[in-house]
Amino acid sequence: DYELCEEWEHLYPVPREDLINLHREHLLHLLEMGDMEKALQLLQRIEDPGVCLAISEQSLDQHLNLAASHFLADYLTAHFYASLTTARRKEIQALYIGSKVLLTLPEPSRVNYFHLSSRPLLMLEQLLMNMKVDWVAVAVQTLHQLLAGQEIGFTIEDIDNLLSKYAEKALNFPFTLKEKRS
């Protein structure tokens, strides 16, 4: 049906909003099916960059699954970086980095942290609070690789400060140790 609508669009004038809605629904359908290749082909077929940007942004705001969010954040960053506002750019980059960190976690656990995908620093803190030290090590390594040259609202120093804060708390004993006397 989507392909028929696309053919119709080439034969008759379709209002811009209807065109955006059609392509957005088609894109969402492809992303839900996990067909990233066809989703990319669909976006490449759209001739008007403004329409393509609107479709991609609206689809990203639907809070799809992890793979779809990662795909759309990557696509928007790669193709429309200059067209985005600074705030939106940071938001999309944070989502991209957060989804990349989520992909480093064991698959069954990803669902527990998915709601934090647009806030990677908070996700890292949650992992620390849940004592997932091995996961934190992989996440920090991934963040260090991804943060080079990115502006998303936090830096490598913020990560280091967070790790220091929790390391200090781990060594903080609320009671004093008394020596046993024999």
Side-chain angles (χ1 to χ4, degrees):
D1 291 343
Y2 292 118
E3 290 171 6
L4 178 63
C5 290
E6 270 190 62
E7 287 178 29
W8 185 270
E9 162 205 344
H10 293 295
L11 298 173
Y12 298 99
V14 177
R16 187 174 200 267
E17 274 308 307
D18 292 340
L19 192 61
I20 289 172
N21 290 335
L22 164 71
H23 288 303
R24 185 187 66 238
E25 292 303 317
H26 189 189
L27 180 63
L28 291 172
H29 171 73
L30 292 171
L31 292 173
E32 285 173 16
M33 301 300 289
D35 196 344
M36 304 305 169
E37 186 63 35
K38 283 189 179 179
L40 181 60
Q41 290 171 3
L42 169 67
L43 290 170
Q44 290 172 341
R45 279 196 311 267
I46 300 170
E47 295 170 7
D48 184 349
V51 170
C52 191
L53 174 61
I55 292 164
S56 302
E57 278 196 288
Q58 289 175 16
S59 297
L60 183 65
D61 292 337
Q62 296 290 318
H63 302 292
L64 303 166
N65 61 39
L66 177 60
S69 296
H70 185 72
F71 169 81
L72 287 169
D74 185 36
Y75 184 81
L76 282 164
T77 303
H79 294 87
F80 297 105
Y81 188 82
S83 303
L84 301 168
T85 64
T86 304
R88 184 67 168 159
R89 198 178 302 148
K90 284 181 180 180
E91 179 185 324
I92 290 171
Q93 286 179 322
L95 180 62
Y96 175 78
I97 289 174
S99 63
K100 199 77 158 164
V101 169
L102 264 177
L103 289 169
T104 67
L105 302 180
E107 193 169 339
S109 302
R110 291 176 189 165
V111 69
N112 298 329
Y113 300 96
F114 181 73
H115 66 285
L116 299 172
S117 60
S118 63
R119 306 200 44 211
L121 197 59
L122 190 57
M123 184 188 317
L124 186 63
E125 186 169 7
Q126 187 71 48
L127 289 169
L128 284 167
M129 291 190 314
N130 290 341
M131 306 285 287
K132 304 294 186 188
V133 180
D134 294 339
W135 298 357
V136 169
V138 175
V140 167
Q141 184 179 9
T142 302
L143 285 169
H144 277 273
Q145 292 170 355
L146 293 172
L147 283 178
Q150 300 283 342
E151 292 180 30
I152 62 167
F154 68 93
T155 62
I156 292 172
E157 289 79 29
D158 294 327
I159 294 170
D160 292 343
N161 290 337
L162 181 68
L163 293 173
S164 297
K165 174 182 158 187
Y166 278 90
E168 183 181 313
K169 286 183 179 195
L171 297 174
N172 187 12
F173 296 104
F175 56 89
T176 58
L177 298 173
K178 295 181 183 180
E179 286 185 32
K180 289 186 180 180
R181 293 186 182 181
S182 58

